[in-house]
Amino acid sequence: MQPKRIWIIVTDGEKCRFLESTKRNEDPHAVLPDLETSNPPTREQGTDKPGRTFESVGNRRSAYEPPVDWHQQGKRDFAREVAGVLKEKTHENAFDRLIIVAPPEMLGNLRPVLSEETKEKIVGEVNKDYTRFTPREIKQQLSQSYDV
């Protein structure tokens, strides 16, 4: 019987690591290059000054706030990019099980954009930020709850 290929996705909205764990006594190893995005704070995106608008009555003017928080939009776009990679690898049968480790905000951005085939392979979600952990530390944290 072939060992189960468990992928561990560790992401935070700006960086994503794709790790694979096939043997219990070995540390997970990277199976794809890390995905990274440059997502500066909203104040550094867009124009220097918000636009101005006139009041409907009188000649008063006020600042116009953009309808989008560009920093949050960047995180949602990154979640779609990660979901696209996972969908492609699901179709290639690259893994049997999937564990997603991400802060709650990223999990919320990622869940709706995952394909149904990918969702079927998810065996666990951890709402923590492990992006700065080594593969060994990630395995130690996950081994308490999952068979990795």
Side-chain angles (χ1 to χ4, degrees), residues 7 15-19 29-36 78 81-82 85 89:
W7 273 29
K15 181 179 181 179
C16 182
R17 296 167 63 192
F18 299 89
L19 304 173
H29 58 279
V31 288
L32 294 174
D34 292 353
L35 282 180
E36 291 192 44
F78 186 68
E81 184 180 350
V82 170
V85 170
K89 295 303 176 182

CSV table of all heavy atoms in Angstrom, one decimal, residues 7 15-19 29-36 78 81-82 85 89:
chain,number,residue,atom,x,y,z
A,7,TRP,N,-0.6,17.0,1.9
A,7,TRP,CA,-0.1,18.3,1.7
A,7,TRP,C,-0.5,19.2,2.8
A,7,TRP,O,-1.6,19.2,3.3
A,7,TRP,CB,-0.6,18.9,0.4
A,7,TRP,CG,0.3,18.5,-0.8
A,7,TRP,CD1,1.0,17.4,-0.9
A,7,TRP,CD2,0.4,19.2,-2.0
A,7,TRP,NE1,1.6,17.4,-2.1
A,7,TRP,CE2,1.3,18.5,-2.8
A,7,TRP,CE3,-0.1,20.4,-2.5
A,7,TRP,CZ2,1.6,18.9,-4.1
A,7,TRP,CZ3,0.2,20.8,-3.7
A,7,TRP,CH2,1.1,20.1,-4.5
A,15,LYS,N,2.1,35.2,1.9
A,15,LYS,CA,3.1,34.1,1.6
A,15,LYS,C,2.4,32.8,1.7
A,15,LYS,O,1.5,32.6,2.6
A,15,LYS,CB,4.3,34.2,2.5
A,15,LYS,CG,5.3,33.2,2.3
A,15,LYS,CD,6.5,33.3,3.2
A,15,LYS,CE,7.6,32.3,2.9
A,15,LYS,NZ,8.7,32.4,3.8
A,16,CYS,N,2.7,31.9,0.9
A,16,CYS,CA,2.2,30.5,0.9
A,16,CYS,C,3.2,29.5,0.7
A,16,CYS,O,4.0,29.6,-0.2
A,16,CYS,CB,1.0,30.4,-0.1
A,16,CYS,SG,0.2,28.7,0.0
A,17,ARG,N,3.3,28.5,1.6
A,17,ARG,CA,4.2,27.4,1.5
A,17,ARG,C,3.5,26.1,1.3
A,17,ARG,O,2.5,25.8,1.9
A,17,ARG,CB,5.1,27.3,2.8
A,17,ARG,CG,5.9,28.5,3.0
A,17,ARG,CD,6.5,28.6,4.4
A,17,ARG,NE,7.4,27.5,4.7
A,17,ARG,CZ,7.9,27.2,5.9
A,17,ARG,NH1,7.5,27.9,6.9
A,17,ARG,NH2,8.7,26.2,6.1
A,18,PHE,N,3.9,25.3,0.3
A,18,PHE,CA,3.3,24.0,0.0
A,18,PHE,C,4.3,22.9,0.5
A,18,PHE,O,5.3,22.7,-0.1
A,18,PHE,CB,3.1,23.9,-1.5
A,18,PHE,CG,2.2,24.9,-2.1
A,18,PHE,CD1,2.7,26.1,-2.5
A,18,PHE,CD2,0.9,24.7,-2.2
A,18,PHE,CE1,1.9,27.1,-3.1
A,18,PHE,CE2,0.0,25.7,-2.7
A,18,PHE,CZ,0.5,26.9,-3.1
A,19,LEU,N,3.9,22.2,1.6
A,19,LEU,CA,4.7,21.2,2.1
A,19,LEU,C,4.0,19.8,2.0
A,19,LEU,O,2.8,19.7,1.9
A,19,LEU,CB,4.9,21.4,3.6
A,19,LEU,CG,5.5,22.8,4.0
A,19,LEU,CD1,5.5,23.0,5.5
A,19,LEU,CD2,6.9,22.9,3.5
A,29,HIS,N,8.5,18.3,3.5
A,29,HIS,CA,9.4,19.0,2.6
A,29,HIS,C,8.6,19.8,1.6
A,29,HIS,O,7.4,19.5,1.3
A,29,HIS,CB,10.3,18.0,1.9
A,29,HIS,CG,9.6,16.9,1.1
A,29,HIS,ND1,9.0,15.8,1.7
A,29,HIS,CD2,9.2,16.9,-0.2
A,29,HIS,CE1,8.4,15.1,0.8
A,29,HIS,NE2,8.5,15.7,-0.4
A,30,ALA,N,9.2,20.8,1.0
A,30,ALA,CA,8.5,21.7,0.0
A,30,ALA,C,8.3,20.9,-1.3
A,30,ALA,O,9.2,20.2,-1.7
A,30,ALA,CB,9.4,22.9,-0.2
A,31,VAL,N,7.1,21.0,-1.8
A,31,VAL,CA,6.8,20.4,-3.1
A,31,VAL,C,6.7,21.4,-4.2
A,31,VAL,O,6.8,21.0,-5.4
A,31,VAL,CB,5.6,19.5,-3.0
A,31,VAL,CG1,5.9,18.3,-2.2
A,31,VAL,CG2,4.4,20.2,-2.5
A,32,LEU,N,6.5,22.6,-3.9
A,32,LEU,CA,6.4,23.7,-4.9
A,32,LEU,C,7.1,24.9,-4.3
A,32,LEU,O,7.3,25.1,-3.1
A,32,LEU,CB,4.9,24.1,-5.1
A,32,LEU,CG,4.0,23.1,-5.7
A,32,LEU,CD1,2.5,23.6,-5.7
A,32,LEU,CD2,4.4,22.8,-7.1
A,33,PRO,N,7.5,25.8,-5.2
A,33,PRO,CA,8.2,27.0,-4.7
A,33,PRO,C,7.1,27.8,-3.9
A,33,PRO,O,5.9,27.8,-4.2
A,33,PRO,CB,8.6,27.8,-6.0
A,33,PRO,CG,8.4,26.9,-7.1
A,33,PRO,CD,7.6,25.7,-6.7
A,34,ASP,N,7.6,28.6,-3.0
A,34,ASP,CA,6.7,29.5,-2.2
A,34,ASP,C,6.1,30.5,-3.1
A,34,ASP,O,6.7,31.0,-4.0
A,34,ASP,CB,7.5,30.2,-1.1
A,34,ASP,CG,8.0,29.2,0.0
A,34,ASP,OD1,7.6,28.0,-0.1
A,34,ASP,OD2,8.7,29.7,0.9
A,35,LEU,N,4.8,30.8,-2.8
A,35,LEU,CA,4.1,31.9,-3.5
A,35,LEU,C,4.2,33.1,-2.6
A,35,LEU,O,4.0,33.0,-1.4
A,35,LEU,CB,2.6,31.6,-3.7
A,35,LEU,CG,2.2,30.7,-4.8
A,35,LEU,CD1,0.7,30.5,-4.8
A,35,LEU,CD2,2.7,31.2,-6.1
A,36,GLU,N,4.6,34.2,-3.1
A,36,GLU,CA,4.6,35.5,-2.3
A,36,GLU,C,4.0,36.6,-3.2
A,36,GLU,O,4.1,36.6,-4.4
A,36,GLU,CB,6.1,35.8,-2.0
A,36,GLU,CG,6.7,34.8,-1.0
A,36,GLU,CD,8.0,35.3,-0.4
A,36,GLU,OE1,8.1,36.5,-0.1
A,36,GLU,OE2,8.9,34.5,-0.3
A,78,PHE,N,-4.8,37.1,-3.6
A,78,PHE,CA,-3.8,36.1,-3.3
A,78,PHE,C,-4.5,34.8,-2.9
A,78,PHE,O,-4.0,33.7,-3.3
A,78,PHE,CB,-2.9,36.5,-2.1
A,78,PHE,CG,-1.8,35.6,-1.8
A,78,PHE,CD1,-0.7,35.5,-2.8
A,78,PHE,CD2,-1.7,34.9,-0.7
A,78,PHE,CE1,0.3,34.6,-2.5
A,78,PHE,CE2,-0.6,34.0,-0.4
A,78,PHE,CZ,0.4,33.9,-1.3
A,81,GLU,N,-5.4,33.1,-6.0
A,81,GLU,CA,-4.2,32.5,-6.6
A,81,GLU,C,-3.8,31.1,-6.0
A,81,GLU,O,-3.5,30.2,-6.7
A,81,GLU,CB,-3.0,33.5,-6.5
A,81,GLU,CG,-1.8,33.0,-7.2
A,81,GLU,CD,-0.6,34.1,-7.1
A,81,GLU,OE1,-0.9,35.2,-6.6
A,81,GLU,OE2,0.5,33.7,-7.5
A,82,VAL,N,-3.8,31.1,-4.7
A,82,VAL,CA,-3.5,29.8,-3.9
A,82,VAL,C,-4.6,28.8,-4.3
A,82,VAL,O,-4.2,27.6,-4.6
A,82,VAL,CB,-3.5,30.1,-2.4
A,82,VAL,CG1,-3.4,28.8,-1.7
A,82,VAL,CG2,-2.3,31.0,-2.0
A,85,VAL,N,-3.8,27.2,-7.7
A,85,VAL,CA,-2.7,26.2,-7.7
A,85,VAL,C,-3.3,24.9,-7.1
A,85,VAL,O,-3.0,23.8,-7.6
A,85,VAL,CB,-1.5,26.8,-6.8
A,85,VAL,CG1,-0.5,25.7,-6.6
A,85,VAL,CG2,-0.9,28.0,-7.5
A,89,LYS,N,-3.4,21.2,-8.9
A,89,LYS,CA,-2.7,20.1,-8.3
A,89,LYS,C,-3.7,19.0,-7.9
A,89,LYS,O,-3.3,17.8,-7.9
A,89,LYS,CB,-1.8,20.5,-7.1
A,89,LYS,CG,-0.7,21.4,-7.5
A,89,LYS,CD,0.2,20.7,-8.5
A,89,LYS,CE,1.3,21.6,-9.0
A,89,LYS,NZ,2.1,21.0,-10.0
